[in-house]
Amino acid sequence: MESRFGMTEPDNLPDDLRERVAEIAQKSGFVPNIFRALGHRPAELRAFLDYHEALMERTEGLSKAERELVVVATSAANHCTYCVVAHGAILRIRAKDPYLSDHVGTNPWHAPLDERARAIVDLALALARTPELFGDADVASARAAGLTDDEIWDVGAITALFAASNRLAHLTALQPNHEFFLLGRAGT
Amino acid sequence: MESRFGMTEPDNLPDDLRERVAEIAQKSGFVPNIFRALGHRPAELRAFLDYHEALMERTEGLSKAERELVVVATSAANHCTYCVVAHGAILRIRAKDPYLSDHVGTNPWHAPLDERARAIVDLALALARTPELFGDADVASARAAGLTDDEIWDVGAITALFAASNRLAHLTALQPNHEFFLLGRAGT
Amino acid sequence: MESRFGMTEPDNLPDDLRERVAEIAQKSGFVPNIFRALGHRPAELRAFLDYHEALMERTEGLSKAERELVVVATSAANHCTYCVVAHGAILRIRAKDPYLSDHVGTNPWHAPLDERARAIVDLALALARTPELFGDADVASARAAGLTDDEIWDVGAITALFAASNRLAHLTALQPNHEFFLLGRAGT
Amino acid sequence: MESRFGMTEPDNLPDDLRERVAEIAQKSGFVPNIFRALGHRPAELRAFLDYHEALMERTEGLSKAERELVVVATSAANHCTYCVVAHGAILRIRAKDPYLSDHVGTNPWHAPLDERARAIVDLALALARTPELFGDADVASARAAGLTDDEIWDVGAITALFAASNRLAHLTALQPNHEFFLLGRAGT
Amino acid sequence: MESRFGMTEPDNLPDDLRERVAEIAQKSGFVPNIFRALGHRPAELRAFLDYHEALMERTEGLSKAERELVVVATSAANHCTYCVVAHGAILRIRAKDPYLSDHVGTNPWHAPLDERARAIVDLALALARTPELFGDADVASARAAGLTDDEIWDVGAITALFAASNRLAHLTALQPNHEFFLLGRAGT
Amino acid sequence: MESRFGMTEPDNLPDDLRERVAEIAQKSGFVPNIFRALGHRPAELRAFLDYHEALMERTEGLSKAERELVVVATSAANHCTYCVVAHGAILRIRAKDPYLSDHVGTNPWHAPLDERARAIVDLALALARTPELFGDADVASARAAGLTDDEIWDVGAITALFAASNRLAHLTALQPNHEFFLLGRAGT
């Protein structure tokens, strides 16, 4: 079973959602399971898609690869298999690096990264698991590494969105589509 | 300073958001700071409002008071002052109980609750802090206490949304409006 | 039920304790439940009252408000509803601040505080939950913030006493008197 | 240095305390360092001694050895060297067992104990480190193992007192007297 | 840099080790980095190889795939990138399952497994991170799921060996050979 | 019972192991229980003995006492009674200090140590419990305290070996021989 509470096939979604999911499926070549798992609650799926798009498709601030880096790092800290595997695939593609995702997805705290990427991941991790300890020192470190406040917001907001997304995946025991495991790997 | 990255006054929001925030302000008597803290990113604020509305204003499943109970319990586990104080006020009003929020907001694990409320809070807490340990046993306990799968989804999804919301509040060092501290208290 | 192991009414206490509790009740307007929960063990209650008085009524070192600040911060870290609510009320009154207690009582690690108060709370928190990690660095930070050794002792000793007090409250599932919830709030 | 904030020799204590400490010294053959570390605050030392006596010398409820067992187990969980070494010595003597203290002092969760002693230690440990999770289930387990409510109170109250005592020892970086290390060992 | 303290090429190893490593390299097609990272201490490398062989090549008890399952699960709990990636590759091959390793390597606590595999992984996880809490209940659960004492020993001993191996990899900041990332994946 | 899975007496060991264990027994005056607990798996015992010897009898790098210090500190962090008691005895003898082991064995984080010993223990502790957080900063601190890379390797490798050893002891509920409790104590 790919989701604890059942799956909704795209054909059974309201028109606007069916079209949006179809568009995503066309790009990926398959319908990512998350959309099928959330489909029985169209209003929630719609808001989730909007939030996701607002943060992951934003053209200013962090690069697309950096956004995926935040997702993989924080999803790793939350041991979310769906998000690590699915966004690990996207990170491999966007970073043009077939090894990075397995490093960050296993040990985000010490995966080998350049200084800017390390600052991004450290900031994300500070907020991901013990947000009550997040404070001015974390923001100051990020600024010291050259992140702008706009970029810091991107890191924090993506971390926040995937705190939600990871929990939806854990709630539903969501399984990644098989396609994700191979995307962007060397020689594939 | 009420937010680490500045505040956007409602007048500076796009029309649709200005109207939505105005409507909320009319009901509460003031503009909750969360909307001013998120206002500089209208697309994110819009998605957040939609998600919030989809889950907190839903008429089936959990009662309105039960939804706020999930928010206060998980925000307490995340030590999120804005959410505990703001939603603590709403919980006092919706549950018509001036004491409940301080109990749940201080020790959600053992606040005195009836069996159904305890099952709701236990389920939410299981997902809130160590989501990787969430599993069939947690869902089975909730079902055994009489929660339907629709209600379990509500608990999980609200926990997920406020995992995000709590982190946005920690990211911005968001302060609750003074009005929230007194709303719904005995004799006020 | 306000305490797991029953309550002892003041009239059933030995004379000296009845008088001391009566004096406290006169000041507060009611008998705080902690005294009724401990009353069946007069020798323990007497020692507890003496220890409490020696530390909380001491006129040198920390101010009265600062002493309550230590209590609320460490009781928050221990999720002790009785102590957060009861001493939160006293802190509101002593600090003449209707909002401070809810901030410190929800997130003591990052409640907005001036430098001296922050140093006091940080020192207390360092000792409260993982005392084995408390060391010279914690003391040095406190001294660097201007705390004298006499004040550092006050912080540490109050933290220690409430480590005990919080556990007595958890042992007895002690409920705060309803009066505490409203004391010292704005406009009340 | 045996204590971070200096030591007060018995001769410099108020009369009543000098006599009480002398009496203890006569029994042990030396002045336990805790009394010298607390001596500069006579009111606190007096209350501490009273509380200690009320709980550790009580003749009903737990046996003397069982009381020391609670102290060693919870002090081990708190990694308090002074209390583990000092009360480890007393436990060896009271339990007439030269090995027990090192077992409980290293791994209280799984030291080999008979069923009653295990129930006592489990109850104490449940309250010692994460008191917010202490609840009816812990009390029920203790009762199921045959502990009376009077004995449960003893376990809980001793755990509470040594939560304080351990933190005073950590605050002062208190070192155990050399005599404690050997007391009650086989052949000594 | 593939290892914090330098690499020793097989040609520079003592004869017996050079031959053993050559044999492994012939099977895998490359020299796994762990042998190059440990090579400057031949006595330690020899003992490590012997221990590894004694446990991972043992023909009784657990199957070869089950042995790798224990390695991937506990290395995931220890966030050891080298071991998760390298043994993840072997697990894919031995279990003839291209997806299993990423599931277990991301969330070993709730990766979808059949009952026997779940019992093996649960036993391993109980010993991996908080060994002080490991006890009779864990062994009883494993026996109840049908594991023999010989198999239980295999699980425990492999968990122990990789507690060491994971720490050697963290000590040396060891990077997995690129070949491991692709081995045993679908279609490769 | 001294071990959960039975004991193998030296006479029942293969010749080479019987001789090695006899040699150890001659030095100590008794057969340490660990060898009897591992004896039913000769290949594993042989590798364990080799690894142990390679690291604990090495003549370069750390002194013998410093090696035992690492063992006692990390075994304390892992609450391993067998290793704390057995190696605590050896540490007392090698460091010619009857008190050191009880300090380090109870609170390795703040046992009073000179700067070099503190650096060794801090490095070991950084790797012992949360190895995923071990990184360049830990190595830099050790180097700053004067440790060579060869010594750092010793600390790390001994920590790794006893991560395994501690888990074998927890797996088998191994009890220390009574002789260990008294060895090297003052006046004995």
Side-chain angles (χ1 to χ4, degrees):
Chain A
M1 192 179 55
E2 289 159 315
S3 166
R4 186 176 276 130
F5 299 101
M7 299 291 247
T8 302
E9 293 310 317
D11 282 356
N12 300 321
L13 290 174
D15 287 358
D16 66 315
L17 289 172
R18 193 177 58 238
E19 280 168 34
R20 289 175 79 168
V21 169
E23 197 180 339
I24 294 164
Q26 201 166 18
K27 277 192 215 161
S28 338
F30 57 94
V31 179
N33 284 337
I34 179 77
F35 305 118
R36 297 158 74 216
L38 300 183
H40 67 107
R41 292 267 184 118
E44 296 168 33
L45 173 53
R46 198 173 286 119
F48 178 83
L49 276 169
D50 289 345
Y51 215 151
H52 195 280
E53 207 174 286
L55 280 166
M56 302 308 287
E57 307 295 328
R58 189 168 182 262
T59 51
E60 297 162 276
L62 296 188
S63 75
K64 291 266 171 84
E66 286 168 344
R67 290 169 197 275
E68 297 298 329
L69 182 66
V70 172
V71 176
V72 175
T74 58
S75 299
N78 287 328
H79 300 276
C80 178
T81 304
Y82 183 86
C83 292
V84 166
V85 171
H87 288 270
I90 309 177
L91 176 57
R92 282 193 293 272
I93 293 168
R94 297 216 161 147
K96 298 187 202 322
D97 180 335
Y99 310 114
L100 178 61
S101 296
D102 288 342
H103 278 279
V104 175
T106 311
N107 183 354
W109 299 277
H110 285 284
L113 296 172
D114 67 28
E115 195 199 342
R116 177 177 160 88
R118 173 49 51 206
I120 288 170
V121 169
D122 282 351
L123 185 70
L125 292 171
L127 195 59
R129 290 288 288 194
T130 49
E132 67 275 19
L133 303 181
F134 187 89
D136 291 342
D138 298 298
V139 174
S141 293
R143 285 173 181 155
L147 295 188
T148 65
D149 276 18
D150 187 61
E151 291 171 331
I152 288 172
W153 184 281
D154 276 346
V155 174
I158 294 169
T159 299
L161 177 61
F162 280 84
S165 187
N166 291 172
R167 281 162 181 81
L168 290 172
H170 285 300
L171 174 68
T172 57
L174 189 64
Q175 304 302 310
N177 307 59
H178 282 172
E179 290 86 344
F180 282 127
F181 292 78
L182 265 186
L183 281 177
R185 294 203 174 269
T188 62
Chain B
M1 192 179 56
E2 289 158 314
S3 167
R4 187 177 273 133
F5 299 101
M7 299 291 246
T8 302
E9 293 309 316
D11 282 355
N12 300 321
L13 291 173
D15 287 358
D16 65 315
L17 290 171
R18 194 178 56 240
E19 278 167 36
R20 288 174 79 168
V21 169
E23 197 179 337
I24 293 164
Q26 199 165 19
K27 275 192 216 160
S28 335
F30 57 94
V31 180
N33 283 337
I34 181 76
F35 304 118
R36 298 159 74 215
L38 300 182
H40 67 106
R41 294 266 185 118
E44 297 168 32
L45 173 53
R46 196 173 286 118
F48 178 82
L49 275 168
D50 289 346
Y51 215 150
H52 194 282
E53 207 173 286
L55 280 167
M56 302 307 287
E57 307 295 329
R58 190 167 182 260
T59 49
E60 296 161 276
L62 296 188
S63 74
K64 293 265 172 83
E66 286 168 344
R67 290 168 196 275
E68 297 298 328
L69 182 65
V70 172
V71 177
V72 174
T74 59
S75 300
N78 286 328
H79 300 278
C80 179
T81 305
Y82 182 85
C83 292
V84 166
V85 170
H87 287 271
I90 308 178
L91 175 57
R92 282 193 293 271
I93 292 168
R94 297 215 162 148
K96 299 188 202 319
D97 181 335
Y99 311 115
L100 178 62
S101 296
D102 289 341
H103 278 279
V104 175
T106 310
N107 184 354
W109 299 278
H110 285 285
L113 296 171
D114 66 29
E115 195 200 343
R116 178 176 161 89
R118 172 49 52 206
I120 289 170
V121 168
D122 282 350
L123 185 71
L125 291 171
L127 195 59
R129 291 287 288 195
T130 50
E132 67 274 20
L133 303 181
F134 187 88
D136 290 341
D138 299 297
V139 174
S141 293
R143 285 174 182 154
L147 295 188
T148 65
D149 277 18
D150 187 62
E151 291 171 331
I152 289 172
W153 184 282
D154 276 346
V155 173
I158 295 170
T159 299
L161 176 62
F162 279 85
S165 187
N166 291 172
R167 280 162 181 81
L168 291 172
H170 284 300
L171 173 68
T172 56
L174 189 65
Q175 304 302 309
N177 308 56
H178 283 173
E179 289 86 344
F180 281 127
F181 292 77
L182 265 186
L183 281 176
R185 294 201 175 272
T188 64
Chain C
M1 191 178 57
E2 289 159 314
S3 165
R4 186 176 275 132
F5 299 101
M7 299 291 247
T8 302
E9 292 309 316
D11 283 356
N12 299 322
L13 291 173
D15 288 359
D16 66 315
L17 289 172
R18 194 177 57 239
E19 281 168 32
R20 287 173 80 167
V21 170
E23 198 179 338
I24 293 164
Q26 199 164 21
K27 275 193 216 159
S28 335
F30 57 94
V31 180
N33 283 338
I34 181 77
F35 304 119
R36 297 160 73 217
L38 300 182
H40 68 107
R41 293 269 184 114
E44 295 168 33
L45 173 54
R46 196 174 286 117
F48 178 82
L49 275 169
D50 289 346
Y51 215 150
H52 195 280
E53 206 174 289
L55 280 167
M56 302 308 287
E57 307 294 329
R58 190 168 181 261
T59 50
E60 297 162 277
L62 296 188
S63 74
K64 292 266 172 83
E66 286 168 343
R67 291 170 195 275
E68 297 298 329
L69 181 65
V70 172
V71 177
V72 175
T74 59
S75 299
N78 287 328
H79 299 277
C80 178
T81 305
Y82 183 86
C83 293
V84 166
V85 171
H87 287 271
I90 309 178
L91 175 58
R92 283 193 293 270
I93 291 168
R94 296 215 163 149
K96 296 188 204 321
D97 181 334
Y99 311 114
L100 178 61
S101 296
D102 289 341
H103 278 280
V104 175
T106 311
N107 184 355
W109 299 278
H110 285 285
L113 296 171
D114 67 29
E115 195 200 342
R116 177 176 161 90
R118 174 46 54 205
I120 288 171
V121 168
D122 282 350
L123 185 70
L125 291 171
L127 195 58
R129 290 287 288 193
T130 50
E132 67 274 19
L133 302 181
F134 187 89
D136 291 342
D138 299 298
V139 174
S141 293
R143 285 173 181 155
L147 295 189
T148 66
D149 275 18
D150 186 62
E151 290 171 332
I152 288 171
W153 184 282
D154 276 346
V155 173
I158 294 169
T159 298
L161 177 61
F162 280 83
S165 187
N166 291 171
R167 281 162 181 81
L168 291 171
H170 284 300
L171 173 68
T172 56
L174 188 65
Q175 304 302 310
N177 308 57
H178 282 173
E179 290 87 343
F180 282 127
F181 291 78
L182 264 186
L183 281 176
R185 295 205 173 267
T188 63
Chain D
M1 191 177 56
E2 289 159 315
S3 166
R4 186 176 274 132
F5 299 101
M7 298 291 246
T8 302
E9 293 308 317
D11 282 356
N12 299 321
L13 290 174
D15 288 358
D16 67 315
L17 289 171
R18 193 177 58 240
E19 280 168 34
R20 288 174 79 168
V21 169
E23 197 180 338
I24 292 164
Q26 200 163 19
K27 277 192 214 160
S28 337
F30 57 94
V31 180
N33 283 339
I34 180 78
F35 304 119
R36 297 159 75 217
L38 299 183
H40 68 107
R41 293 267 184 117
E44 296 168 32
L45 173 53
R46 196 173 288 117
F48 179 80
L49 275 168
D50 289 346
Y51 214 151
H52 195 281
E53 208 174 286
L55 279 166
M56 301 308 288
E57 307 294 330
R58 190 166 181 263
T59 50
E60 297 161 278
L62 296 187
S63 75
K64 292 268 171 83
E66 287 168 342
R67 290 169 196 274
E68 297 297 330
L69 182 66
V70 172
V71 176
V72 174
T74 58
S75 299
N78 287 328
H79 299 277
C80 179
T81 305
Y82 183 85
C83 293
V84 166
V85 171
H87 287 272
I90 308 178
L91 175 58
R92 283 193 293 271
I93 292 168
R94 297 217 162 149
K96 299 187 203 319
D97 181 335
Y99 311 115
L100 178 62
S101 296
D102 288 342
H103 277 280
V104 176
T106 310
N107 184 355
W109 299 278
H110 284 285
L113 296 171
D114 67 27
E115 195 200 342
R116 177 177 161 89
R118 174 46 53 204
I120 288 171
V121 169
D122 282 350
L123 185 70
L125 291 171
L127 195 59
R129 291 287 287 195
T130 48
E132 67 275 20
L133 303 182
F134 186 88
D136 290 341
D138 299 297
V139 174
S141 293
R143 285 174 181 156
L147 296 187
T148 65
D149 276 19
D150 187 61
E151 291 171 330
I152 288 172
W153 184 281
D154 276 347
V155 173
I158 294 169
T159 298
L161 177 61
F162 280 84
S165 187
N166 291 173
R167 280 162 181 81
L168 291 172
H170 284 300
L171 174 68
T172 57
L174 189 64
Q175 304 302 308
N177 307 57
H178 282 173
E179 289 87 343
F180 282 126
F181 292 77
L182 265 186
L183 282 176
R185 293 201 175 271
T188 63
Chain E
M1 194 179 54
E2 288 159 314
S3 166
R4 186 177 275 131
F5 299 101
M7 299 291 248
T8 302
E9 293 308 317
D11 282 354
N12 299 321
L13 290 174
D15 287 357
D16 66 315
L17 289 172
R18 194 177 57 238
E19 280 166 35
R20 289 174 80 168
V21 169
E23 196 179 338
I24 293 164
Q26 201 165 20
K27 275 191 218 162
S28 339
F30 57 95
V31 180
N33 284 338
I34 180 77
F35 304 119
R36 299 159 75 216
L38 299 183
H40 67 107
R41 294 268 184 114
E44 297 169 32
L45 173 54
R46 196 174 286 117
F48 179 81
L49 275 168
D50 290 345
Y51 215 150
H52 195 280
E53 208 174 285
L55 279 166
M56 302 307 287
E57 308 294 329
R58 190 168 183 262
T59 50
E60 297 161 276
L62 296 189
S63 74
K64 293 265 171 84
E66 286 167 344
R67 291 169 196 273
E68 298 298 330
L69 182 65
V70 172
V71 177
V72 175
T74 59
S75 299
N78 288 328
H79 300 276
C80 179
T81 305
Y82 183 85
C83 294
V84 166
V85 171
H87 288 270
I90 309 177
L91 176 57
R92 281 193 294 271
I93 292 167
R94 297 215 162 148
K96 299 188 203 321
D97 181 334
Y99 311 115
L100 179 61
S101 296
D102 288 341
H103 278 279
V104 175
T106 310
N107 184 355
W109 298 279
H110 285 285
L113 296 171
D114 66 28
E115 195 198 342
R116 178 176 160 89
R118 174 49 51 204
I120 289 171
V121 169
D122 283 349
L123 185 70
L125 292 171
L127 195 59
R129 290 287 288 193
T130 50
E132 68 274 19
L133 303 182
F134 187 88
D136 291 341
D138 299 298
V139 174
S141 293
R143 286 174 181 152
L147 296 187
T148 66
D149 276 18
D150 187 61
E151 291 171 330
I152 289 172
W153 184 282
D154 276 346
V155 174
I158 295 169
T159 299
L161 177 61
F162 279 85
S165 188
N166 292 171
R167 280 161 182 82
L168 291 172
H170 284 300
L171 173 68
T172 57
L174 189 64
Q175 303 302 309
N177 308 56
H178 282 172
E179 290 86 344
F180 282 127
F181 292 78
L182 264 186
L183 282 176
R185 292 202 177 270
T188 66
Chain F
M1 192 179 54
E2 288 159 314
S3 166
R4 186 176 274 131
F5 299 100
M7 299 290 247
T8 302
E9 292 309 316
D11 282 355
N12 300 322
L13 290 174
D15 287 358
D16 66 315
L17 289 172
R18 194 178 55 241
E19 280 168 34
R20 287 174 81 167
V21 169
E23 196 178 339
I24 293 164
Q26 200 165 19
K27 275 191 216 161
S28 338
F30 57 95
V31 180
N33 284 338
I34 180 77
F35 304 119
R36 299 160 72 217
L38 299 183
H40 68 107
R41 293 269 184 115
E44 296 168 32
L45 173 52
R46 197 174 287 118
F48 179 81
L49 275 168
D50 289 346
Y51 215 150
H52 195 280
E53 208 173 285
L55 280 167
M56 302 308 288
E57 308 295 328
R58 189 168 183 262
T59 50
E60 297 162 278
L62 294 189
S63 74
K64 293 267 172 83
E66 286 168 345
R67 289 169 198 275
E68 297 298 331
L69 182 66
V70 172
V71 177
V72 175
T74 59
S75 299
N78 287 329
H79 301 277
C80 178
T81 305
Y82 183 85
C83 292
V84 166
V85 170
H87 287 271
I90 309 178
L91 175 58
R92 282 193 295 270
I93 292 167
R94 296 214 161 149
K96 299 187 202 318
D97 181 334
Y99 310 115
L100 178 61
S101 295
D102 289 341
H103 278 280
V104 175
T106 311
N107 184 356
W109 299 278
H110 285 285
L113 297 171
D114 66 28
E115 194 199 343
R116 178 176 160 89
R118 173 49 50 206
I120 288 170
V121 169
D122 282 350
L123 185 70
L125 292 171
L127 196 58
R129 291 286 289 193
T130 49
E132 67 274 19
L133 302 182
F134 186 89
D136 291 341
D138 299 298
V139 174
S141 293
R143 286 172 181 155
L147 296 188
T148 66
D149 275 18
D150 187 62
E151 291 171 332
I152 288 171
W153 184 281
D154 277 346
V155 174
I158 295 170
T159 298
L161 177 61
F162 280 84
S165 188
N166 292 171
R167 279 162 183 81
L168 291 171
H170 284 299
L171 174 68
T172 56
L174 189 64
Q175 304 302 309
N177 307 58
H178 282 173
E179 289 87 342
F180 282 128
F181 292 79
L182 264 187
L183 280 176
R185 295 204 173 270
T188 63

